[in-house]
Amino acid sequence: MAEEKNGELQKLEGSVERVIYSNEENGYTICDVAVSEDGEIITAVGIMPMIGAGDHLCLYGGWVHNPKYGRQFSVSQYERVMPADTASMLRYLASRAIKGIGPKTAQRIIDEFGDESFDVIENHPEWLASIKGISMKTALAASESFREQAGIRSAMMFFREWFGVATTVKIYKHWGHSAVDIAKKNPYRLCNEIDGIGFERADLMAQKLGFGGDDIERIMSGLSYVLMQNGMQNGHVCLPREKLRDSGAALLGVAPQRADEAMSMLLKNGKIRYVLRDECQMIYDAESYVAEKYIAEKLITIEKMCPAIDMRDVDAFIEREEAKSGIQYAFLQKKAISDALRYGVTVLTGGPGTGKTTVVRALIHIFDSMGYDIALAAPTGRAAKRLSEATSVEAKTIHRLLEYTYEAGEKYVFNRNETAHLDEQVIIVDEASMIDNALMCALLKAIKPGARFIIIGDSDQLPSVGAGNVLRDIIESERFSTVKLNEIFRQARESLIITNAHAINNGKLPVLDVKDNDFFFLKRNTDREIALTIADLCLNRLPKTYGDMAKNGIQVIAPSRKGESGTESLNVLLQQTLNPSSRYKREHKFRDRIFREGDRVMQTRNNYDIEWNRSSDDKDGNGIFNGDIGVVEAINEPESTMTVLFDDKRVIYDFSLLEDLEHAYAVTVHKSQGSEYPIVIIPMCSAATMLLSRNLLYTAVTRAEKMVILVGRGEIVEAMVANNRQTMRYTGLCEWLKNEI
């Protein structure tokens, strides 16, 4: 952190001598600066995008000590001051800071235009073409490069009061030269279009720029923000008009009728849409409306266009597979196989141990014998890996199946879509409860008419993190064949994990007093005792008894982030216990977290363009996703990087990207979805009532492969089993499907 002097950041002014390191994506830079006062060369580090040798800078920050490189100036803010005299202009241009201009060309420009050189480059590039060695193409490119630097400089100056440098870079990349003008005209576009900027920050900026509290642009933006936040935080795809109106009016401090007026304007200009359901207007943002309607339309199309297979052939396929595999399928398993062969869209659901994987294996063998190409996919990397292991067929993440790439470095696009369909005739997707509306829409766009779509998931688990309740809506619509497996097979009945999971799901208390199976309960009375017991289990008791399985296979899954037994406190305790500070381990403090070599960490948002290298085949690729867990392998302070190993994918994080990582010794139930772990420890501690629910406990228990340990109070277990509160989400997919659009 920068040191302060009398409560203020220190200021240095000087010229950049050389740029040692620069990250083009986030602007993190290390450079040598000649300080104006005495000519001393100092090293400056921080977010300083698009600077080059010859730039004259005002730096604000403080001195820090780097263990390897010594004293450095850590930059919190900076200003670029353009050279004013011809000598400084020449030095700046000769530094190759402007595209297409080198030392000789710079001298010719200065000789020709003197102290008006910068004005000519920016506003009259065609004049440059009169100089020997400068073509019109080079002149225009140089002007564009100069204006880009002027634009980022202008943006830095304008936005510095409200945003940091990294956010300003993001704004500039999104809007380019027009960034300042757009923000001045309507600062509320910032929260609607720039990821990471909330309404409150945009509203504060608008107030400073003179926008009134009753300004219609403010109210329209506030309503859009409420709609967006309800999707991101609560999973709603739409909201009743009255709820949106009242929530928006309360947030903005305006009269409800004023919010109604703004809503009418948003409807008129197409920014939001509505559907009338039970005499209530359900309000969508335009994108969500289109996506949800498309999901319904495409599912119905797939169902209608699926080629028919004679029932006698279906029976023959099943009999042949039974003979070949030596498995006698149960009645519901046969029905699931039969329906998947006969219909375009089939849903297979059921709890652990009910034979879903057996059905999937049978379908793969039968479709393969029919000459059909099959694609297996799941929402997360871990879920895809589990599906591959269970079926011995490669499974991909949905994003990888759809061949995601980045467009202009800003947002990802899927190369498999409505104009470039997937080649496979059968698409099987597992862990469908995790799929939100946006991802399901993208997947369906890529499925060609005539293909079969088989949806597998446990509808009793938690719904997706993103907006929507896709699996449950499809099932409740009763529009497609749905088979729910409910028979627990003999081998599975021997596992208390499976029988207790089904008991919990059926509203019955799990068996907690068996000492020699795979499900244990350790009674502890206080949250402190719970936390300390979990730490002791992870450090001593489990590794001593179970060896390597415990060493690498324990995952603590907590209902809540807060409290002494919530993930935030447990991660601090477990880091101290399992990976304490050592002179042999490098560490780096980022905000309130200390990352240390050997730490278990989790990616908390999808990053589609971060690069990785796979050690098994030395293959490079892109993309680390929300919920991926890895281990900190190395920390490099001089280069401001941290290397994390995700299974066999090695990723180098710039320190500015560490906001996307958090410790993962303990994770929430939501973050554990789609994953399985050998040993799962679940604290049974106090939490908000909405978190102490049956389906949350059921989801946590079903994450375990070999062992579950509940630690805490029996009354919490009872409360969770008794609380059958379902996560209520405003969605419309079920109604679209029931009414066939």
Side-chain angles (χ1 to χ4, degrees):
M1 294 292 291
E3 298 174 355
E4 293 190 358
K5 185 176 181 180
N6 296 326
E8 296 182 358
L9 295 173
Q10 297 179 51
K11 176 183 175 182
L12 290 178
E13 189 171 334
S15 297
V16 177
E17 291 293 308
R18 69 181 179 119
V19 175
I20 300 169
Y21 170 80
S22 180
N23 185 314
E24 291 185 6
E25 285 299 311
N26 56 44
Y28 184 83
T29 303
I30 304 172
C31 61
D32 285 340
V33 177
V35 180
S36 300
E37 293 179 0
D38 51 18
E40 177 191 2
I41 305 295
I42 62 102
T43 300
V45 298
I47 307 291
M48 296 175 282
M50 299 179 69
I51 67 166
D55 280 353
H56 196 79
L57 306 177
C58 285
L59 307 175
Y60 301 87
W63 294 100
V64 295
H65 182 78
N66 183 290
K68 184 173 182 179
Y69 295 99
R71 193 169 182 247
Q72 296 179 333
F73 193 75
S74 178
V75 178
S76 297
Q77 301 173 20
Y78 84 101
E79 299 172 7
R80 187 194 249 121
V81 182
M82 291 303 287
D85 59 85
T86 54
S88 298
M89 287 181 177
L90 175 61
R91 186 166 178 269
Y92 176 76
L93 294 175
S95 70
R96 301 185 186 277
I98 304 300
K99 186 176 180 180
I101 298 178
K104 291 182 179 179
T105 306
Q107 185 65 61
R108 293 188 188 122
I109 292 172
I110 295 297
D111 289 343
E112 181 71 22
F113 300 111
D115 57 12
E116 294 182 356
S117 295
F118 283 0
D119 179 64
V120 170
I121 295 171
E122 182 173 8
N123 300 309
H124 306 286
E126 67 278 5
W127 295 1
L128 296 176
S130 65
I131 296 175
K132 183 181 177 182
I134 302 180
S135 66
M136 183 61 72
K137 183 179 179 181
T138 300
L140 294 174
S143 182
E144 176 64 22
S145 175
F146 188 87
R147 284 199 303 272
E148 183 177 10
Q149 295 190 29
I152 190 68
R153 184 168 63 253
S154 174
M156 291 294 174
M157 294 294 289
F158 177 75
F159 290 113
R160 64 180 177 173
E161 182 178 351
W162 299 286
F163 308 114
V165 176
T167 301
T168 299
V169 171
K170 192 183 295 185
I171 295 168
Y172 184 79
K173 282 186 174 182
H174 186 72
W175 285 326
H177 306 328
S178 304
V180 173
D181 290 337
I182 290 172
K184 283 181 178 179
K185 185 177 180 180
N186 183 5
Y188 294 105
R189 286 183 61 180
L190 288 162
C191 63
N192 293 330
E193 298 183 33
I194 309 297
D195 184 42
I197 298 179
F199 176 81
E200 292 83 357
R201 294 172 76 189
D203 197 31
L204 178 64
M205 179 179 175
Q207 291 174 34
K208 289 284 188 73
L209 293 174
F211 283 73
D214 205 42
D215 188 280
I216 197 67
E217 288 286 353
R218 175 177 186 262
I219 302 171
M220 290 168 65
S221 181
L223 291 171
S224 296
Y225 178 72
V226 170
L227 205 53
M228 179 186 69
Q229 286 298 101
N230 269 280
M232 292 174 60
Q233 296 181 359
N234 302 320
H236 299 310
V237 181
C238 52
L239 287 177
R241 180 167 183 146
E242 291 75 13
K243 185 177 180 67
L244 176 58
R245 178 197 64 199
D246 294 343
S247 298
L251 171 71
L252 301 166
V254 300
Q257 59 266 32
R258 187 65 169 153
D260 246 334
E261 292 172 15
M263 210 179 309
S264 296
M265 291 188 67
L266 286 167
L267 285 165
K268 186 176 180 180
N269 64 26
K271 294 290 181 64
I272 61 175
R273 306 283 292 271
Y274 81 88
V275 175
L276 196 62
R277 296 199 181 106
D278 297 326
E279 299 182 357
C280 173
Q281 282 190 8
M282 301 301 295
I283 306 294
Y284 293 76
D285 70 74
E287 188 174 341
S288 297
Y289 173 90
V290 170
E292 189 174 72
K293 188 177 179 184
Y294 180 87
I295 292 170
E297 290 172 339
K298 186 61 178 283
L299 285 171
I300 292 170
T301 299
I302 292 172
E303 175 74 359
K304 288 180 176 178
M305 296 189 69
C306 173
I309 297 180
D310 190 283
M311 190 61 202
R312 290 170 296 182
D313 292 334
V314 170
D315 291 339
F317 279 128
I318 294 174
E319 290 172 7
R320 194 179 307 140
E321 184 59 27
E322 283 184 323
K324 188 175 180 181
S325 65
I327 297 173
Q328 186 71 35
Y329 300 120
F331 171 76
L332 286 177
Q333 287 181 314
K334 282 186 178 180
K335 177 172 171 50
I337 297 168
S338 173
D339 287 1
L341 291 170
R342 294 170 60 204
Y343 302 125
V345 177
T346 309
V347 179
L348 175 62
T349 185
T354 56
K356 295 194 298 293
T357 301
T358 300
V359 171
V360 175
R361 288 197 200 104
L363 288 171
I364 291 171
H365 295 155
I366 293 171
F367 281 125
D368 184 61
S369 71
M370 296 169 65
Y372 286 6
D373 291 328
I374 307 160
L376 300 184
T380 68
R382 282 177 172 267
K385 184 178 180 181
R386 282 174 42 224
L387 184 59
S388 294
E389 292 169 349
T391 61
S392 300
V393 176
E394 183 190 14
K396 301 177 180 179
T397 63
I398 296 174
H399 286 85
R400 187 173 161 220
L401 178 70
L402 300 183
E403 299 176 11
Y404 69 89
T405 56
Y406 249 74
E407 188 176 69
E410 284 296 309
K411 62 179 182 179
Y412 67 90
V413 295
F414 292 117
N415 290 317
R416 293 291 186 171
N417 49 47
E418 59 266 57
T419 60
H421 289 132
L422 293 166
D423 298 323
E424 292 83 0
Q425 296 102 328
V426 180
I427 312 297
I428 301 176
V429 176
D430 198 10
E431 294 287 356
S433 64
M434 298 179 65
I435 303 176
D436 61 21
N437 269 28
L439 188 56
M440 180 59 81
C441 180
L443 175 59
L444 287 170
K445 284 180 179 179
I447 297 177
K448 62 185 176 183
R452 283 172 169 76
F453 185 34
I454 301 166
I455 307 166
I456 303 167
D458 189 342
S459 59
D460 294 315
Q461 290 187 18
L462 295 172
S464 59
V465 174
N469 207 349
V470 177
L471 178 61
R472 185 165 293 173
D473 278 353
I474 292 174
I475 293 171
E476 290 183 357
S477 75
E478 299 181 348
R479 181 63 182 74
F480 308 103
S481 165
T482 298
V483 178
K484 183 169 185 176
L485 302 180
N486 51 30
E487 178 184 349
I488 306 175
F489 290 94
R490 183 182 59 80
Q491 187 175 357
R493 285 199 299 269
E494 298 173 2
S495 166
L496 263 183
I497 293 176
I498 290 175
T499 57
N500 274 344
H502 284 271
I504 291 166
N505 198 34
N506 292 322
K508 299 176 182 178
L509 287 177
V511 176
L512 301 178
D513 56 358
V514 174
K515 305 297 183 184
D516 59 351
N517 207 288
D518 55 8
F519 196 110
F520 302 92
F521 174 65
L522 302 180
K523 183 179 179 181
R524 297 295 184 270
N525 294 319
T526 68
D527 285 3
R528 181 63 177 167
E529 289 175 340
I530 293 170
L532 291 175
T533 299
I534 289 173
D536 184 48
L537 284 167
C538 294
L539 180 66
N540 299 310
R541 294 169 64 175
L542 290 172
K544 183 178 179 181
T545 306
Y546 298 100
D548 288 342
M549 183 179 81
K551 183 179 179 182
N552 300 311
I554 300 172
Q555 183 60 61
V556 180
I557 302 177
S560 174
R561 296 182 67 90
K562 304 299 180 183
E564 202 162 5
S565 292
T567 58
E568 292 178 359
S569 294
L570 281 172
N571 272 317
V572 173
L573 174 63
L574 292 172
Q575 183 194 39
Q576 293 170 349
T577 304
L578 303 174
N579 191 32
S581 180
S582 165
R583 64 192 181 98
Y584 300 108
K585 294 180 179 179
R586 289 164 289 191
E587 57 185 49
H588 175 76
K589 185 173 183 181
F590 181 81
R591 297 177 183 167
D592 60 343
R593 297 185 188 129
I594 294 177
F595 290 105
R596 184 175 297 134
E597 291 175 341
D599 272 345
R600 184 179 172 91
V601 294
M602 173 183 280
Q603 177 78 12
T604 60
R605 73 175 185 90
N606 292 340
N607 186 329
Y608 300 96
D609 60 348
I610 195 167
E611 297 178 354
W612 50 257
N613 174 265
R614 188 158 55 209
S615 54
S616 59
D617 54 9
D618 200 32
K619 181 179 179 181
D620 295 326
N622 296 76
I624 296 295
F625 303 104
N626 186 5
D628 286 352
I629 291 178
V631 176
V632 177
E633 192 175 51
I635 293 174
N636 190 327
E637 284 288 348
E639 295 185 8
S640 298
T641 61
M642 187 167 86
T643 303
V644 179
L645 190 63
F646 295 92
D647 292 328
D648 64 345
K649 293 178 181 177
R650 184 170 283 105
V651 179
I652 298 177
Y653 283 81
D654 188 273
F655 282 169
S656 62
L657 296 176
L658 297 187
E659 63 184 356
D660 296 341
L661 290 174
E662 61 183 32
H663 292 101
Y665 298 102
V667 301
T668 62
V669 181
H670 285 88
K671 289 290 187 183
S672 72
Q673 282 183 271
S675 299
E676 281 189 353
Y677 313 94
I679 301 174
V680 167
I681 303 175
I682 310 170
M684 292 288 98
C685 55
S686 301
T689 303
M690 63 182 294
L691 294 174
L692 298 180
S693 68
R694 183 186 301 174
N695 70 337
L696 191 137
L697 179 58
Y698 172 75
T699 302
V701 167
T702 55
R703 298 307 89 204
E705 296 173 322
K706 305 289 186 183
M707 184 184 302
V708 169
I709 304 174
L710 305 184
V711 183
R713 302 193 291 280
E715 62 267 26
I716 297 295
V717 180
E718 294 175 8
M720 295 186 79
V721 172
N723 180 10
N724 195 28
R725 175 187 180 274
Q726 297 292 330
T727 304
M728 198 285 293
R729 294 189 169 188
Y730 290 111
T731 67
L733 180 58
C734 181
E735 284 74 14
W736 287 118
L737 289 170
K738 279 183 175 179
N739 299 322
E740 294 203 27
I741 318 301

